[in-house]
Amino acid sequence: MAKSSGLGMRLYLQGLDISGDVGAINSIHASMAPLEVTGIDKSAVERIIGRHDGEITFNVWFNDAAAANRAASAGSSFFVLSALPTTNVLALVLKGTTRGDTVWAITAKQVNYDWSRNADGSLQGTVQLLGAAGFPLENGKLLVAKTTHASATDETGINHGSQSTVGAVGFLQHFTALTGTVEYDIEDSSDSTNGVDGIWANLLPFVDVATPYAATAQRVAVNGTVEKWTRASTNGTFTGAQFAMALRRRGAGDYDAA
């Protein structure tokens, strides 16, 4: 790996691609709270790991177009940010759109919707997502950036280098579909050589998505062995499914490792 810029990043939020309206990502923050548990027989502080946390904060430009790929504002049918939902939202920040690129994921509460009119005349909003449901910021690998499957299709897999044994977490951003029921899956393989050949098995199924095909997102965890190759897959009978998918393989000592 080499140093690289933040050009060409993406931000998907609860099944909406708002990348075109995001002007800056101000913070991708992960933290662990240390707990002091020093015994009286110790001459220095003892600490153990306490609660994990996460945050993603970003700026958006005002855009009231009623388009699914925008952080649409008042009056739009895709009005997502100003709603300040009380339920959790799932956000994915993509370092890039190449298979295997780094992804940051957070299951969060959107806690604000703040706007300012800057001196240069621009109208800019700031949105903060704070970790919720007991999940902190999570790092993973991109299986596929926003793409459209006309029918059931297997994406080319990525090679993680070796098998792991403590499970994984899958992230799905479903943007839209035209007809049918979409079965979204993550599959794995121990013997693929190029991400296409070999024997593949269903590792992690998401909840099927059917009419009315509203934009949605899912976080699903699985325990046990994860083979060195993984890929995104769609199954079932449908047309025009648009989605993105990522995977975080748990490691030994992970905060939720099984």
Side-chain angles (χ1 to χ4, degrees):
M1 299 298 291
K3 296 178 182 178
S4 62
S5 73
L7 299 177
M9 295 179 70
R10 300 289 191 275
L11 199 162
Y12 304 149
L13 178 63
Q14 203 61 20
L16 295 176
D17 179 0
I18 63 175
S19 310
D21 289 335
V22 174
I25 297 175
N26 301 325
S27 176
I28 302 176
H29 175 72
S31 64
M32 297 184 293
L35 304 176
E36 293 190 8
V37 291
T38 309
I40 61 173
D41 59 341
K42 299 298 188 295
S43 57
V45 175
E46 286 183 292
R47 293 185 177 90
I48 60 175
I49 296 301
R51 292 180 297 183
H52 294 62
D53 202 357
E55 173 188 347
I56 293 176
T57 302
F58 57 93
N59 290 343
V60 292
W61 305 113
F62 186 85
N63 186 341
D64 60 1
N69 65 335
R70 297 300 183 193
S73 299
S76 167
S77 59
F78 293 95
F79 186 37
V80 57
L81 294 176
S82 70
L84 280 174
T86 58
T87 54
N88 294 334
V89 296
L90 174 61
L92 293 184
V93 175
L94 281 58
K95 173 62 176 63
T97 57
T98 301
R99 190 175 291 108
D101 278 349
T102 295
V103 171
W104 295 274
I106 191 166
T107 304
K109 289 289 193 296
Q110 180 190 333
V111 299
N112 73 322
Y113 183 67
D114 301 336
W115 287 90
S116 62
R117 193 275 190 187
N118 301 318
D120 62 2
S122 60
L123 188 56
Q124 186 180 60
T126 299
V127 175
Q128 184 182 34
L129 305 176
L130 294 180
F135 304 128
L137 184 77
E138 301 181 270
N139 300 296
K141 294 294 183 181
L142 181 65
L143 296 180
V144 62
K146 185 170 73 172
T147 190
T148 300
H149 284 186
S151 58
T153 305
D154 297 323
E155 291 286 329
T156 300
I158 64 171
N159 188 352
H160 300 274
S162 62
Q163 181 191 82
S164 64
T165 59
V166 288
V169 181
F171 304 97
L172 169 69
Q173 295 278 336
H174 164 82
F175 303 104
T176 188
L178 297 178
T179 66
T181 298
V182 191
E183 300 173 15
Y184 290 112
D185 300 301
I186 295 178
E187 300 179 341
D188 65 349
S189 172
S190 63
D191 63 351
S192 183
T193 62
N194 58 7
V196 177
D197 65 357
I199 299 173
W200 294 81
N202 194 344
L203 170 70
L204 188 156
F206 293 95
V207 177
D208 293 353
V209 178
T211 183
Y213 312 115
T216 188
Q218 297 181 37
R219 177 194 186 275
V220 177
V222 64
N223 296 324
T225 299
V226 181
E227 302 295 351
K228 67 178 182 178
W229 287 90
T230 59
R231 70 182 182 188
S233 177
T234 53
N235 298 281
T237 302
F238 64 89
T239 61
Q242 189 177 68
F243 71 101
M245 203 178 291
L247 179 74
R248 177 177 77 86
R249 297 212 308 174
R250 292 170 173 153
D254 217 329
Y255 78 94
D256 67 345

